[in-house]
Amino acid sequence: MGDPHRIGIVGLGVISRAYLKTLADHPAVSIAAVADLDASRSAAVAADLPGAEATSVQDLLDRSDVQTVLNLTIPAAHAEISLRAIDAGKNVYVEKPLAVTFPDGRSIIDRATAAGVQVGCAPDTVLGTGTQTARAAIDGGLIGRPMSASAVMVTPGHERWHPHPDFYYTAGGGPLLDMGPYYVSALIHLLGPVRAVVGAASRLRAERVIGSGPRVGQRVPVDVDSHVTGVLEHTSGALSTITTSFDGVATTAAPIEVHGETGTLAVPDPNHFDGEVRLFALGGGGWRALEPQGGYAGASRGVGLLDLVSADGQRAPRASGEIALHVLETMTALLRSADVGRRIVLTTEVDRPAPVPLTQVEEWKAQHVPGP
């Protein structure tokens, strides 16, 4: 396989721990450098990564041995860091969403195309056995022609557990831009791209109270809508309804259900890689669980970056920047539709990503051991 693909990580907050669990000892990649606004944090992370150096952001971008920048900054900084990395000739893999605004996301993709570098973007959870098994069931005709889907995410809000939840309630935050990428990405993998949306939104409270960490009890202003719902019109003709809320408490709804002419699928939480897929087919005697039929089994966050690296020009990355831009436009169009009160037709067009064959991650990992 040759030498490992060398990456640099910018942003070492909470989510970086999940990525490091996947990438730190994977033979396909090598972490060359890490950077964070908190220099002590980057020094601590580098100390646990043999061969990695703690640097400033600019020094990381200037390094000739960094091929891909893993951008794990807060959403408001996604576009700035990604564009700087692209201008430095680096590939980029960015935590979701691709950017806070659609124009910024469009700039990332256009500039990367002009520079001849690649862009990948989370979520990669949809490459796990949960969403991919449901996709295999749909593609295999187990529910007949798919006609509609529902996606539901209801939670009281992340301030209960996150010690610094401010960005969830500022521009670029809210339940749709924060959690919506998981659900919209899953719906695109299951039913194909979106052509138009209709949305509605509301805001229950003007401030939130931090529930944990050093700032417990502090109040955070809410500057974005905290309950967003809408309808996605897929190019296939299927219709999806989506609800994302930081204003509810709980729900008994399946995270995603897909309805076809002859059956219904209950799809697990797309914020996780695995989970049970259940099928109710006409004449089938009720709900039954499906064995995994597709996806990276045993995966964790960062597998999308590995999928991008292993694509090697032979196929399109499954967690690509183009898909992320389409997801971003879908979400921002929903918010715009809620604001102006009309249906919005999307401008981006993408192909449905290639399915993931059932792949044991440990076996896949072994195949990437560098050769002499």
Side-chain angles (χ1 to χ4, degrees):
M1 295 294 296
D3 293 332
H5 189 94
R6 295 180 66 81
I7 65 174
I9 304 176
V10 178
L12 300 170
V14 174
I15 195 62
S16 68
R17 300 169 197 163
Y19 279 87
L20 287 170
K21 179 182 176 182
T22 299
L23 302 175
D25 65 347
H26 199 286
V29 296
S30 174
I31 300 173
V34 296
D36 191 272
L37 292 176
D38 182 343
S40 63
R41 180 186 290 173
S42 55
V45 170
D48 290 332
L49 295 172
E53 182 179 347
T55 73
S56 68
V57 173
Q58 190 57 54
D59 286 346
L60 185 149
L61 297 178
D62 288 340
R63 290 177 68 116
S64 61
D65 61 344
V66 169
Q67 297 168 270
T68 294
V69 171
L70 174 56
N71 181 358
L72 302 182
T73 58
I74 62 172
H78 282 182
E80 176 195 351
I81 297 301
S82 294
L83 289 171
R84 286 172 61 186
I86 290 166
D87 289 345
K90 316 296 186 189
N91 304 309
V92 174
Y93 188 91
V94 60
E95 176 57 12
K96 53 79 190 168
L98 179 65
V100 169
T101 69
F102 177 67
D104 279 348
R106 177 83 270 175
S107 293
I108 291 171
I109 300 303
D110 289 347
R111 199 175 298 183
T113 299
V117 298
Q118 288 191 302
V119 176
C121 185
D124 53 7
T125 49
V126 295
L127 306 183
T129 55
T131 298
Q132 292 296 317
T133 292
R135 172 174 179 166
I138 293 170
D139 293 350
L142 295 189
I143 63 170
R145 183 172 53 155
M147 303 298 295
S148 64
S150 61
V152 180
M153 189 287 300
V154 175
T155 173
H158 295 341
E159 71 277 5
R160 294 166 300 134
W161 57 269
H162 199 293
H164 302 287
D166 310 62
F167 67 91
Y168 290 116
Y169 299 102
T170 60
L176 183 61
L177 287 181
D178 175 52
M179 297 299 291
Y182 299 106
Y183 293 83
V184 176
S185 295
L187 290 170
I188 290 169
H189 276 265
L190 296 171
L191 298 175
V194 177
R195 67 186 175 203
V197 302
V198 177
S202 63
R203 193 176 312 179
L204 182 65
R205 296 190 292 276
E207 59 183 17
R208 301 289 178 125
V209 179
I210 299 176
S212 66
R215 299 170 58 200
V216 64
Q218 289 187 19
R219 296 181 179 273
V220 175
V222 176
D223 298 326
V224 294
D225 287 326
S226 46
H227 183 97
V228 184
T229 188
V231 177
L232 314 182
E233 301 176 21
H234 295 267
T235 56
S236 65
L239 298 177
S240 295
T241 59
I242 184 168
T243 298
T244 61
S245 182
F246 285 163
D247 289 340
V249 174
T251 179
T252 60
I256 296 176
E257 286 187 340
V258 182
H259 306 287
E261 291 178 301
T262 62
T264 290
L265 285 171
V267 185
D269 187 346
N271 190 19
H272 302 295
F273 284 89
D274 53 13
E276 185 177 75
V277 179
R278 294 182 297 129
L279 169 68
F280 191 109
L282 286 176
W287 291 99
R288 66 181 178 91
L290 299 180
E291 292 295 321
Q293 301 172 37
Y296 293 118
S300 56
R301 280 169 169 80
V303 73
L305 188 155
L306 297 172
D307 182 90
L308 180 148
V309 170
S310 65
D312 196 26
Q314 300 304 306
R315 58 164 174 78
R318 297 180 174 96
S320 68
E322 288 76 15
I323 294 294
L325 182 66
H326 187 64
V327 170
L328 179 61
E329 186 180 22
T330 300
M331 296 188 300
T332 55
L334 272 171
L335 295 172
R336 191 164 79 255
S337 174
D339 184 47
V340 301
R342 63 178 175 84
R343 175 177 178 267
I344 303 291
V345 177
L346 272 58
T347 62
T348 54
E349 297 180 1
V350 295
D351 294 326
R352 192 179 180 209
V356 182
L358 185 58
T359 304
Q360 298 297 325
V361 163
E362 285 304 312
E363 295 178 8
W364 186 51
K365 181 177 179 180
Q367 295 170 7
H368 288 77
V369 175

